[in-house]
Amino acid sequence: MKKDDIKTKENIAKLEKVIEEKKSIPKEIKEKISANTFENIIFAVIVFVYLGALNLGMANIPTDNYLMDLKVFSILLLVTTIIMLEVAYKRDKANLWLHSVEFMIIAIFTLYLIYFYSMYYNTFGNIVFSFGAVCFIYYAIKIFVLKRKTIKDYNKKLIDIGEIVKNKERN
């Protein structure tokens, strides 16, 4: 009986080791998560620098020039968005498509800023700051969701139902 107990304990230890190896996330997946996170942080920083420049511009640029700058920025952002959409379509990259939609939203927001600047001059800085806060929350949630999705996809690959079914059929 003791030999059976020792073999059982050894088998359990081996199984626990295999389970731990399967649970740990491989280096490639960690690198993919890091690259994705870094990419989204870069886009978030670009958005925050842009919104900060808009706030500084409101305080330091004459009204007529500032409104012209808003129009130019919105057109440049829309052109950039169209180029990004085309590249995403040709290369079949969903991630680039998502970034281009984000840029489109920022371009549309910039178009609305022309109206906000004229009608709500006293609260214009708060409007831009609020949009920045919304962007921060969006990017934080996006990074978290993409990390969870990547880990979930990896774990889904580990569960090979087909292999289990084939083994059952053989027995």
Side-chain angles (χ1 to χ4, degrees):
M1 280 296 253
K2 290 191 176 191
K3 287 184 180 181
D4 288 340
D5 289 341
I6 292 172
K7 282 186 178 183
T8 304
K9 287 181 182 180
E10 288 175 0
N11 286 338
I12 290 173
K14 287 178 184 177
L15 286 174
E16 286 176 350
K17 186 178 178 183
V18 169
I19 289 171
E20 280 303 313
E21 287 174 3
K22 295 283 186 177
K23 278 186 178 180
S24 66
I25 299 171
K27 188 176 181 180
E28 308 90 47
I29 302 297
K30 287 180 182 178
E31 287 174 358
K32 182 179 178 183
I33 291 170
S34 296
N36 205 347
T37 300
F38 182 72
E39 179 181 323
N40 281 299
I41 288 173
I42 293 296
F43 273 96
V45 167
I46 290 170
V47 169
F48 294 135
V49 167
Y50 174 71
L51 293 175
L54 290 180
N55 260 341
L56 286 174
M58 181 201 74
N60 298 321
I61 299 175
T63 301
D64 292 339
N65 293 345
Y66 185 69
L67 291 175
M68 181 59 72
D69 288 346
L70 287 176
K71 291 174 187 175
V72 169
F73 288 151
S74 62
I75 290 173
L76 286 174
L77 283 170
L78 287 172
V79 168
T80 303
T81 299
I82 292 169
I83 292 170
M84 288 173 69
L85 282 170
E86 286 295 322
V87 170
Y89 177 73
K90 287 181 182 176
R91 295 185 183 168
D92 197 26
K93 294 202 175 219
N95 199 20
L96 185 59
W97 181 84
L98 184 60
H99 287 307
S100 61
V101 170
E102 294 165 356
F103 267 62
M104 185 182 307
I105 290 169
I106 294 168
I108 292 169
F109 177 73
T110 304
L111 283 171
Y112 277 112
L113 283 179
I114 298 167
Y115 169 75
F116 293 148
Y117 186 82
S118 301
M119 298 302 291
Y120 305 107
Y121 180 79
N122 294 334
T123 59
F124 183 79
N126 293 336
I127 293 170
V128 174
F129 179 77
S130 298
F131 185 72
V134 168
C135 287
F136 175 78
I137 292 168
Y138 166 76
Y139 278 105
I141 291 171
K142 180 180 175 188
I143 289 170
F144 176 75
V145 167
L146 287 176
K147 179 180 177 183
R148 296 282 302 196
K149 182 183 178 300
T150 304
I151 292 171
K152 186 177 179 182
D153 289 346
Y154 168 73
N155 288 333
K156 208 178 226 183
K157 281 186 200 177
L158 290 179
I159 302 171
D160 194 0
I161 302 293
E163 189 175 310
I164 294 170
V165 170
K166 286 179 186 176
N167 288 338
K168 289 256 183 190
E169 289 175 356
R170 287 182 197 157
N171 296 334

